[in-house]
Amino acid sequence: MDTNPLRDTFRMHRVPGPCAVVIFGGLGDLAGRKLVPALYNLYLRRLLPAGFAMVGVGRRDATDTEYRAEMRERCARFSRTPVTDAEWEGFEELLHWVGGTFDATETYTTLARRLEEIGVARGTAGNVMFYLSVPPSQFPVIVDGLGDSGLAREEPGRFRRAVIEKPFGHDLPSSAALDAEVHRAFKESQVFRIDHYLGKETVQNILVFRFANGIFEPVWNRNFIDHVQITVSESIGVEGRGKFYEEAGALRDIVQNHMLQVLSFVAMEPPSSFDAEAVRDERGKALASCRPLLPSDVVRGQYSAGFSDGDAAKGYRNEDGVAPGSDVETYIAARLMIDNWRWADTPFYLRTGKRLPKRVTEVAIQFKRVPHLPFSYAAAEQLEPNVLVLRIQPNEGISLRFGAKVPSERVQIRTVNMDFQYDTAFSAAPAEAYETLLLDAMRGDGTNFPRQDAVNQSWRIVEPLQESWTRLGGGPHLYEAGSWGPEAADELLARDRRRWRRP
Amino acid sequence: MTTPAAIERELAELRGKTAGDHAGTRTHIVDLVAYADDPAIATELGEVVAMMRHHRPSRALIASGAPGDVTAEPAVFCSPMQEGGAIVCCEIVRLTGPPAGDALTSMIASLLLPDLPVFLLWLSPPPLDRPTFHNLAALATRLVTDSTRFPTTLDVLGSVARQEHLVVTDLAWTKITGWREVVATIFDDAEHAALLPSLEHVAIQHVAGSDAQARLLVGWLATASRATPTTSIEAVTHEDMRPGSLVRVELTCGGHRFIVDRPSEGMATIDVPGRPIRRAALRVPPFGTLVGEELEFLAPDRAFEAALERLPPGAR
Ligand SMILES: NC(=O)c1ccc[n+]([C@@H]2O[C@H](COP(=O)([O-])OP(=O)(O)OC[C@H]3O[C@@H](n4cnc5c(N)ncnc54)[C@H](OP(=O)(O)O)[C@@H]3O)[C@@H](O)[C@H]2O)c1
């Protein structure tokens, strides 16, 4: 690619080198809802390489034509830009299907043969990215298949990569076991773990915000920051995924991956460069400094019947696929401490839940109060400490709360918001996370993918909880659907003389 | 007689009204200043900017020449950037005033929003050597012309940029970005890239009306390949494509022929020796999108500046 002098002339060039993308589970939910629509949009944006092909693999018997027709339907439903005939015709030629079960040797022999043919026809130069869009139980089978058939083997000038989806295990031992499985066939540098939060523009912007501006980093530490609140709230319930959720719970579904990853962006030290390894080293170090969560610092909740977005909502135990006596948590509030020079004694409060009043993901940095207020009590009664809020979704942006004089003859201070909104600053909608991540993986840029050390660290952090919940039993606190969670969560902060923000 | 203060007041009022219940926010990205001799072009641009969904200017000052006092028609357009997102407003002031003299340009100078880069969209034919242009160029961070509309602009743009110390681009160049990307894919293959320095001939067909896009593509290929190809540029008629749009590009390199064809809007075919014909998405964005794309960039576009230096002669 670097040998193409025409490429250097573009103001924005992110087009990856030639490669084929193989999607195991190519007819699955994720493939049809996110992956293929993302590839279609990349095609429309001319960000796919000229030498490109996609091969879906799964147990269903289908021809290329049938597969293309099915994908057209899904793209028509899920693509962010409409599907038109002329454009679809160009795109669908790139899609292929290989039917076969994941445990059969023939599946990989057939796949290897098709990749060979397609590679010659489409000029994919022998580069292949395998995307495992299948339930985790299938990972080991597929990795073995790829390893045994030689498909995972890289040669000079020819890459082979594996992209895997969460969950990366369900605790530290299973994550380590999964990792060992994957590494039987792939080196760590070949592995890309998807955490779609890291594909979000606003998460990536945390680094730019912190390290491209002179005024924030000097106060980004325990001397000026009182505490940090990270909120990931959803207004929806489990939406028909009850069976899946029973196995996961909020801790594994959100806290262990997305929230701790976001935390690592907020807490990390400045990297020496924006190179993938340098950035991931720092994120890994931040997680390594986190104390494991103790049950006494965590509140579990589960939603009961209530109202959500104006409609009556069932309780979790009445959702389809959920056991009537289920103790699975749909809500977590936690107090997490980081043992390093920057953050000692500065709590990070994490909160996530389903059926909360609204959908919002944000990081709120609450600063310390001023050491001395030279105003009367009456004047400053309504003054709150400064808060910097990084809104990750929706209404992506940043706001700063500070005190201002209320216009009147007296001195009266009130807290006001200074608001920056992505929308209005750039008047452009942010790109889809899966488009960004697929492109990054094709280009071999691992910056926005958690490395195994980070995954291990995050399991280490949540491990004592899992252990004690299993050992001691006890269930979650119930909270009404549509509320901000159980009272115990408020008490958790009240203990520290603090309270939750209302996002 | 209108004043900047009166215009500002009216804009603030309109912003409140147009955005309805939600406070309308003005973006703070760029000021767009446009000038067209022809009032019809200025009106057309005003409509285009009002329709822009993304990358729109914070304030657009769109002027055309007319005898008499300076007149101003302020308007505000608000819409959410994404579903459920914040309402964002764009202010458009349509101005007329004497084409010579300083009245019009001084009004424009006082209406610019502070601290923002200024894009000057010059939608009039050469010569550019006139006071209105000099005055506006002095305010501008970047000059954008449209040589699909006024093809001879390409022949003066390089020297204007040097004289006025301006960063320049042309919308004809923005238009061929897609074509450049498709042509570039041919040379992602290392074997083909090796042939590029021996680029012998470039043959281009474009829709009649303007050869600007075709000339720019040749200029680009000549600089990027470091070769000195011979050129043939041919105007053809094509009912469903816009004047000046490229239809076919044929490159001869080291005896091999590479062909990109655009049989219909939205799709290109790429014919490379020894490979099946490949298709690629190639939709030339509408005028508003092109303007929006340009507003995103502040830095000089070196590839464009280089291409300007290697243009084949225009058909005149
Ligand atoms: N869906 C999402 O929004 C989402 C979000 C985040 C992460 N993920 C992760 O992404 C991966 C894929 O998710 P998904 O929702 O697409 O899963 P899915 O639809 O349940 O399964 C994906 C594909 O795997 C195939 N499959 C399942 N069990 C199989 C077996 N025993 N043998 C052969 N094929 C089998 C299915 O084939 P059939 O079509 O033949 O049944 C299906 O096409 C999972 O790791 C999931 O945790 C998904």
Side-chain angles (χ1 to χ4, degrees), chain B residues 124-273:
Chain B
S124 303
L128 302 188
D129 189 17
R130 47 173 153 158
T132 309
F133 180 78
H134 287 303
N135 288 346
L136 294 179
L139 302 172
T141 324
R142 190 141 193 249
L143 167 67
V144 185
T145 50
D146 184 3
S147 55
T148 301
R149 222 183 274 258
F150 305 110
T152 52
T153 310
L154 281 187
D155 300 312
V156 298
L157 206 48
S159 61
V160 167
R162 280 189 295 273
Q163 276 158 25
E164 307 273 349
H165 301 290
L166 272 176
V167 177
V168 295
T169 347
D170 192 277
L171 294 176
W173 174 252
T174 326
K175 259 194 181 162
I176 61 167
T177 306
W179 271 93
R180 288 167 55 221
E181 284 167 351
V182 172
V183 170
T185 62
I186 296 173
F187 301 96
D188 284 340
D189 188 322
E191 220 176 284
H192 296 155
L195 296 174
L196 199 54
S198 43
L199 177 65
E200 293 140 27
H201 186 69
V202 181
I204 300 187
Q205 289 181 354
H206 65 86
V207 181
S210 170
D211 59 359
Q213 294 172 47
R215 293 172 71 201
L216 282 168
L217 195 83
V218 174
W220 169 65
L221 284 167
T223 45
S225 66
R226 294 168 192 272
T228 316
T230 52
T231 318
S232 75
I233 295 179
E234 183 193 354
V236 296
T237 47
H238 208 303
E239 292 293 303
D240 52 347
M241 288 185 197
R242 279 163 287 178
S245 289
L246 305 186
V247 180
R248 181 186 164 93
V249 173
E250 192 180 308
L251 310 179
T252 316
C253 285
H256 299 271
R257 188 162 303 173
F258 304 94
I259 303 168
V260 181
D261 225 324
R262 189 165 67 132
S264 64
E265 178 67 63
M267 198 256 293
T269 59
I270 305 165
D271 187 355
V272 168

Side-chain angles (χ1 to χ4, degrees), chain A residues 1 3-12 15-16 18 43-46 48-51 84 86-87 89-90 93-94 120-123 395-396 421 423-430, chain B residues 25 27-29 53-56 81-82 84-86 88 142 177-178 180-185 187-188 190 193 196 220 224 266-267 275-276 278-283 294 297 301 303:
Chain A
M1 265 289 291
T3 53
N4 182 355
L6 300 185
R7 286 280 175 210
D8 297 335
T9 66
F10 291 95
R11 291 184 286 195
M12 301 179 101
V15 182
Y43 171 78
L44 294 183
R45 294 164 65 199
R46 284 184 298 273
L48 290 182
T84 64
E87 284 150 335
E89 275 167 30
E93 294 175 345
L94 309 175
V120 172
R122 301 254 156 236
N395 300 327
E396 295 83 350
Q421 300 210 19
D423 283 18
T424 61
F426 296 108
S427 78
Chain B
T25 324
T27 61
H28 279 273
I29 329 169
R53 261 186 62 73
H54 296 309
H55 312 298
R56 51 188 175 194
M81 279 301 115
Q82 41 185 327
V88 178
R142 190 141 193 249
T177 306
R180 288 167 55 221
E181 284 167 351
V182 172
V183 170
T185 62
F187 301 96
D188 284 340
L196 199 54
W220 169 65
M267 198 256 293
R275 292 273 165 77
R278 199 158 51 74
R279 297 197 243 192
L282 183 51
R283 184 172 290 284
E294 277 317 315
F297 292 99
D301 186 341

Side-chain angles (χ1 to χ4, degrees), chain A residues 4-202:
Chain A
N4 182 355
L6 300 185
R7 286 280 175 210
D8 297 335
T9 66
F10 291 95
R11 291 184 286 195
M12 301 179 101
H13 51 106
R14 289 202 64 201
V15 182
C19 74
V21 171
V22 174
I23 302 183
F24 286 93
L27 277 161
D29 176 65
L30 183 73
R33 206 152 46 82
K34 294 284 183 192
L35 305 181
V36 178
L39 289 173
Y40 177 62
N41 280 285
L42 290 174
Y43 171 78
L44 294 183
R45 294 164 65 199
R46 284 184 298 273
L47 290 173
L48 290 182
F52 180 85
M54 186 240 131
V55 183
V57 185
R59 57 189 163 187
R60 212 178 310 166
D61 200 18
T63 61
D64 285 355
T65 316
E66 285 161 347
Y67 183 58
R68 291 166 182 174
E70 171 80 29
M71 286 303 119
R72 176 166 188 163
E73 246 167 64
R74 308 262 194 114
C75 284
R77 269 178 69 197
F78 299 117
S79 161
R80 66 189 176 95
T81 36
V83 172
T84 64
D85 285 341
E87 284 150 335
W88 182 263
E89 275 167 30
F91 177 68
E92 74 168 9
E93 294 175 345
L94 309 175
L95 308 184
H96 311 268
W97 180 255
V98 169
T101 55
F102 300 146
D103 55 2
T105 323
E106 308 86 79
T107 306
Y108 301 90
T109 331
T110 316
L111 177 61
R113 201 191 46 200
R114 294 265 353 236
L115 279 172
E116 192 64 41
E117 290 163 15
I118 294 166
V120 172
R122 301 254 156 236
T124 54
N127 297 319
V128 187
M129 182 167 110
F130 299 100
Y131 199 119
L132 275 55
S133 180
V134 293
S137 59
Q138 298 300 310
F139 287 5
V141 191
I142 295 175
V143 169
D144 283 347
L146 292 173
D148 295 344
S149 61
L151 277 167
R153 204 171 42 244
E154 292 197 312
E155 277 164 25
R158 189 190 94 166
F159 72 69
R160 294 294 154 109
R161 295 184 187 134
V163 181
I164 54 180
E165 272 284 346
K166 70 162 198 178
F168 313 122
H170 50 86
D171 55 15
L172 193 52
S174 60
S175 156
L178 170 73
D179 194 42
E181 284 289 346
V182 173
H183 285 154
R184 281 225 301 266
F186 295 96
K187 295 191 298 280
E188 179 65 16
S189 61
Q190 291 174 274
V191 182
F192 293 75
R193 296 174 189 79
I194 295 265
D195 184 323
H196 69 270
Y197 261 60
L198 303 197
K200 290 182 192 291
E201 203 73 43
T202 31

Side-chain angles (χ1 to χ4, degrees), chain A residues 6 11 24 100 112 121 137 145 192-193 209 274 286 306 333 387 392 408 412 426 437 442 460-461 499:
Chain A
L6 300 185
R11 291 184 286 195
F24 286 93
S137 59
F192 293 75
R193 296 174 189 79
F209 180 78
F274 255 57
V387 183
I392 291 164
S408 83
Q412 178 75 36
F426 296 108
L437 293 176
M442 282 190 255
R460 177 190 62 81
I461 295 168
R499 58 191 160 82

Side-chain angles (χ1 to χ4, degrees), chain A residues 295-323:
Chain A
S296 56
D297 282 340
V298 175
V299 171
R300 269 185 293 171
Q302 188 190 73
Y303 62 84
S304 56
F307 279 84
S308 169
D309 293 335
D311 281 328
K314 287 188 216 177
Y316 176 70
R317 290 176 190 173
N318 294 324
E319 300 272 14
D320 290 343
V322 172

